[in-house]
Amino acid sequence: MKKVIYLILTLAYLAFVYYAKDMFDAYTLSILSNIGIFAILALSYNLINGTTGQFSLEPNGFVAIGAYITALLLIPAETKLDMFALTDPAPIVLKMHADFLPALLIGGVAAAFVALLLSFPVFRVRGDYLAIVTLGFGFIIRILAINNPEYTNGAMGLNDIPSYADFTWIGTIALITFVTMLHIVYSKFGRGMKAIRDDEDAAIAMGLNTFKLKTFAFMTSAFFEGVGGGLLASFLTTITPDQFSFLLTFQLLIIIVLGGLGSMSGTLVATILVMGGMEWLRFLDEDMVIFGIHTGAHPGMRMVVFSILLILMMLFARRGLFGDKELPEIIEELKEKFKKSSK
Amino acid sequence: MRKFASIVAAGLLFSGVAMAKDVKIGVVLPLTGQIAAFGETSKKGLEIAYEKNHTLSNGDNIKLIYVDDRGDKVEAATAVKKLLNKDKVAVILGEVASSNSMAMAPIAEKNKTPMITHASTNPRVTKGKKYVTRACFIDPFQGAVMAKYALDNGMKKAVVVTDAKQDYSVGLSKAFKKAYTAGGGEIVKTVLINSGDKDFNAQVTAIKQANPDIIAFTGYYPEAALLVKQARDMGVKTPFIGADGVGFPELVEIAGKAAEGFMYTDHFNEAAATTPEAKEYVEAYHKKYNKAADSMGALAADAYGMILSAMEKCIKEGKASDDKECINTNLRNTKGYKGITGEITINENGDAVKSAVVNEVKDGKFIYKTTVNP
Amino acid sequence: MDMQIFLQQLINGASLGSMYALIAIGYTMVYGVLRLINFAHGDIMMVGAFLTYFGMESGLSFELAALLGIIGAAIVGILTDRIAYRPLRDAPKISLLITAIGISFFLENLFTVLFGATPKAFKAPEYITKVFHIGEIYLPISVIIIPTITLIILAIVLYILYKTKYGMAIRALAFDIKTVKLMGIDADKIIMIVFMIGSALAAIGGIFYAISYPSIDPLMGVIVGLKAFAAAVLGGIGSVTGAVIGGFILGFTEILVVALFPELGGYKDAFAFFFLILVLLFKPTGIMGQDLERGRF
């Protein structure tokens, strides 16, 4: 019974994703696509931060790697020659080329590979130090992108990236990410990851190879962040190193904490709330008429209100919206409560 | 008289006699974030122009819809989509930074909506675009003016300071180098900075070792001010020449005495404001903001004026004032528009052909030196 | 490079290091008592510089305005603790981190809305900014004043920490917050004092920063804050002396490496983190740090 419901939901979702471009205007589609990309990034970030409980701050680095590699694979060589303004592009940059899907996958694999290399030093430290080292990693990736113009066109970034990533692509990949993450969470690996989150020393005592598990979570997370980065690059058609500052990581962190660390469905809901909310709050920046008085435009007001909302939500919903539970479990709980109260 | 006409028009509008409608212009500017200063001054100029005239001859009312893009390419692109799909604007005005305009241009082009940038000087902004126009000259011209002025004053060895973060600066540096070496000058070193930097110790040390006759600075004023101050503090006495990105009162406020003698090319100088349009604008600007009028604001006002003039032409042709195709054709065919920053003619690429001025900081003021024609 | 330039850069490094050190002390003290990476700390520094600027604009002398800036920043620091951190003392630590980010966004954007994002010229008095030169060494007086004041402040902070009753309470709190509460010490009051001291020092750092780089904007605290934080970890987070050492190391490296190898200039902002990762790999608790509690957060 449950399986049938899920199947119908999935098909309905896919139909929505496929027909969305005929139903909405470009602005709505771009908001939906944005939500889709951030869902991919936040879901994969939640695997390492929420499920495995390794508080790290590096997704901006992995997203950047995926975005740059995908972009360089997609842009034709003539455009690269025209675009690289500081120095000539390196020969390998001119040579690399791939179709959209392989380009996305290569971007993801590259990010996962970097994650593998990185796991050796970073998992030597735990707790807050892990956060700091990974924050540093994200920072360094951005500085490297700025300072190696023969590969990245420096701080100006890449323009004219072919725009393959429409909402159909993004929505489909978001679904794949969601399903994959749920599979991992409910698998043997997922239970191991949760054990690490709850008590790493106990997990070691129980004979779990925590390093392997953490590395697996880290690499999976990095892979999807890389793919998400590739989608982002092709969706925006332009990228710069500054897009991948720690602000991106903060945004993702806000999403996963708001949704509930460890809850994949919570992350989805929070992505919609945060990304949609930021766009919706845009009216605050504009001139408003309240009782016939013009307030005047106050650029930045949107972010002020957003930050106040953020603080309030954290003060009153400390464990996020869903805690570490998934949506069906929450529904079950609510049903229970409802039954009790109706008795 | 014009005022009277607009009052009459406004009266008609309220009485409901005329079938006047709102015509929307979407304005994308960096009003927050790192380059917000440019957005703010652009907006100031735009407001002056808007207050002066926001009613068309057929009674249609112009509405400006500002969107802040935080100086970010991605937000700039989203902003254009919002303006097109949600607000249904007829024209898009903006952005300041070339990188952001380049993110916006393809979207305007795809939606066949005229876009005019008032201050993006990188040639690639309008390249191959039918619907993108600009109210300013382009960097190759500006770079050539800088080079010519330096060479004419006997400065044969230059260090170029490039802001590697800005398409504007990189393009301008290229243009300067080309014109400078063609004119017999020698580039002894290129020094890179990044917008947002505050410490230029490394760059000043490098400049000191190169010992040039002139330092060609192609970035924006926040960095220019700190760089020239730190250079003077470390005993570097070489003169600086910059471009339109440095001509802001903050240059002098931040750098203080160190800014003395800083030369730069610009679109506009109050002191060179001789036409009635320019004088009127400068007066209104002083009255409203109690500040010297800068070129960003003047350019934004000109871009707005060009849009209005294109709309008026459409009305004369018997078309609707918000007919995008018609506005675009008239914008692209602008000839001899008498703007605040001088006479503007749009060439076949959509770039404005107009004169540049050279200014110099003296006693804390921007002194007008000369006008260079294209 | 000749000796004179080297000497000049050394003094510049000490001056820059002082600013990092002052800001790092706040990070390290708050971390010590709350185990919280206070992401809003860099913005407190911005608040201090801005209040000083407005004090001067409204006609106060530089000294009075600076005092206003320091007191104002201290109050803002105490308020952030009161509003955003205190209600979450027993919540998961990550919630606290998110409110810290929230406060940081809030301050940056509030100042943008209120005062605009245009960089403002910070006009320090002549006697601080005047440049003098000995031979080929050119120095503004500020590069001498700043490290001197920093060392005096460090001495005062260490005195408070090790010789006063409040200092003892702060150290006890950093050691074991639960036991301290059982002993009848008002932990909230002590934490308030920590925020007050940390924020006041950040404001001083901010004012020094504004004197050295006289253009201030609402986002000025972001990168400096991050780097000062890295300096605090480098020195061993939780240790005040460590934070100062970390700050100075960072200041010297940034200036000297760039002066010796100008082509590395672009990597300047990453030095802090390169260093940090190296040190943490070999001594995972920083130069002066002790073992922190293990496990999650």
Side-chain angles (χ1 to χ4, degrees), chain B residues 72-106:
Chain B
D72 183 274
K73 289 199 223 186
V74 180
E75 295 257 339
T78 316
V80 176
K81 286 182 191 154
K82 173 188 175 269
L83 288 170
L84 289 175
N85 293 301
K86 209 172 142 208
D87 300 311
K88 315 260 183 241
V89 299
V91 187
I92 286 163
L93 197 165
E95 227 254 14
V96 180
S98 295
S99 356
N100 297 340
S101 294
M102 277 191 242
M104 292 159 59

Side-chain angles (χ1 to χ4, degrees), chain C residues 163-180:
Chain C
K163 298 282 174 196
T164 66
K165 152 176 126 201
Y166 287 117
M168 203 198 285
I170 293 172
R171 284 184 296 133
L173 214 56
F175 195 71
D176 185 347
I177 194 160
K178 283 191 190 110
T179 317
V180 168

Side-chain angles (χ1 to χ4, degrees), chain C residues 32-284:
Chain C
V33 293
L34 289 183
R35 299 286 185 273
L36 162 72
I37 303 172
N38 183 12
F39 276 110
H41 194 61
D43 301 297
I44 300 279
M45 161 207 157
M46 177 272 294
V47 171
F50 258 82
L51 291 179
T52 309
Y53 167 82
F54 284 114
M56 284 193 290
E57 286 293 290
S58 59
L60 294 179
S61 70
F62 169 71
E63 295 77 7
L64 271 179
L67 195 65
L68 173 89
I70 295 165
I71 294 173
I75 293 173
V76 174
I78 292 170
L79 282 179
T80 45
D81 173 48
R82 192 65 248 270
I83 295 166
Y85 304 152
R86 195 189 286 186
L88 290 173
R89 290 274 198 267
D90 50 355
K93 255 174 55 196
I94 195 156
S95 320
L96 211 59
L97 204 68
I98 300 282
T99 53
I101 296 170
I103 293 283
S104 165
F105 281 2
F106 174 74
L107 289 175
E108 285 161 18
N109 287 289
L110 181 73
F111 274 69
T112 308
V113 170
L114 292 178
F115 311 116
T118 316
K120 297 191 165 38
F122 189 93
K123 296 191 187 75
E126 184 76 17
Y127 71 86
I128 300 180
T129 53
K130 206 169 153 51
V131 176
F132 64 96
H133 64 108
I134 312 160
E136 268 301 293
I137 308 180
Y138 286 82
L139 293 170
I141 296 176
S142 59
V143 297
I144 308 291
I145 297 180
I146 290 172
T148 315
I149 297 183
T150 303
L151 290 178
I152 296 173
I153 290 172
L154 177 66
I156 297 173
V157 171
L158 287 177
Y159 177 83
I160 296 176
L161 272 182
Y162 289 95
K163 298 282 174 196
T164 66
K165 152 176 126 201
Y166 287 117
M168 203 198 285
I170 293 172
R171 284 184 296 133
L173 214 56
F175 195 71
D176 185 347
I177 194 160
K178 283 191 190 110
T179 317
V180 168
K181 276 185 182 162
L182 286 178
M183 285 162 71
I185 293 174
D186 184 351
D188 282 335
K189 190 173 146 198
I190 303 299
I191 291 170
M192 191 183 94
I193 293 174
V194 166
F195 271 92
M196 188 182 81
I197 298 176
S199 305
L201 296 188
I204 297 175
I207 295 166
F208 285 169
Y209 197 77
I211 292 172
S212 310
Y213 309 109
S215 110
I216 61 172
D217 62 81
L219 298 181
M220 65 186 277
V222 179
I223 293 285
V224 185
L226 264 185
K227 288 202 269 187
F229 167 63
V233 184
L234 194 64
I237 195 145
S239 152
V240 170
T241 330
V244 174
I245 294 176
F248 275 103
I249 291 182
L250 187 57
F252 283 126
T253 340
E254 279 193 1
I255 298 275
L256 285 179
V257 172
V258 163
L260 289 170
F261 313 98
E263 62 275 22
L264 287 180
Y267 290 96
K268 192 181 64 188
D269 284 345
F271 288 164
F273 290 99
F274 270 128
F275 245 167
L276 188 66
I277 290 175
L278 275 183
V279 169
L280 287 184
L281 285 182
F282 295 107
K283 192 169 183 314

Side-chain angles (χ1 to χ4, degrees), chain B residues 98-290:
Chain B
S98 295
S99 356
N100 297 340
S101 294
M102 277 191 242
M104 292 159 59
I107 303 168
E109 186 77 8
K110 206 169 132 194
N111 287 282
K112 297 195 177 4
T113 302
M115 163 177 157
I116 178 164
T117 166
H118 58 298
S120 293
T121 45
N122 190 301
R124 289 184 50 217
V125 172
T126 52
K127 193 178 167 192
K129 303 273 187 303
K130 278 204 202 86
Y131 291 87
V132 185
T133 314
R134 71 177 110 213
C136 51
F137 46 65
I138 53 173
D139 290 330
F141 172 63
Q142 188 166 218
V145 173
M146 280 168 77
K148 184 171 182 301
Y149 192 78
L151 289 169
D152 286 353
N153 285 286
M155 299 151 174
K156 302 278 182 212
K157 268 167 57 191
V159 165
V160 179
V161 182
T162 304
D163 186 337
K165 227 175 191 168
Q166 303 292 345
D167 291 289
Y168 158 75
S169 177
V170 174
L172 187 57
S173 296
K174 266 194 177 162
F176 174 82
K177 284 180 189 169
K178 202 173 152 206
Y180 194 72
T181 39
E186 185 201 351
I187 307 287
V188 283
K189 201 172 190 111
T190 301
V191 177
L192 296 182
I193 61 167
N194 283 310
S195 356
D197 284 357
K198 295 208 163 174
D199 188 282
F200 298 111
N201 205 347
Q203 289 84 354
V204 173
T205 311
I207 293 171
K208 213 172 176 178
Q209 282 160 359
N211 194 26
D213 299 330
I214 179 96
I215 300 164
F217 180 91
T218 59
Y220 290 117
Y221 77 87
E223 288 75 32
L226 291 172
L227 177 66
V228 72
K229 180 162 194 314
Q230 287 167 34
R232 300 292 180 251
D233 280 359
M234 281 174 74
V236 174
K237 295 189 178 71
T238 319
F240 276 73
I241 187 162
D244 58 336
V246 303
F248 286 80
E250 282 80 3
L251 173 73
V252 177
E253 281 171 32
I254 293 167
K257 274 187 209 136
E260 287 296 300
F262 205 121
M263 299 166 280
Y264 67 95
T265 60
D266 209 343
H267 309 266
F268 171 73
N269 185 315
E270 269 194 18
T274 46
T275 61
E277 292 84 9
K279 275 186 181 157
E280 192 188 346
Y281 172 82
V282 169
E283 207 171 286
Y285 197 97
H286 283 224
K287 209 170 144 197
K288 183 156 184 191
Y289 302 114
N290 199 16

Side-chain angles (χ1 to χ4, degrees), chain A residues 194-242:
Chain A
K194 284 182 197 158
I196 295 175
R197 171 183 70 189
D198 294 337
D199 190 336
E200 185 164 354
D201 292 323
I204 295 173
M206 274 157 54
L208 283 178
N209 187 338
T210 59
F211 177 76
K212 256 192 192 162
L213 273 170
K214 283 195 269 188
T215 307
F216 172 68
F218 202 45
M219 285 175 69
T220 314
S221 167
F223 174 79
F224 282 101
E225 271 155 12
V227 172
L231 281 174
L232 188 73
S234 171
F235 166 65
L236 299 171
T237 73
T238 161
I239 51 172
T240 51
D242 276 3

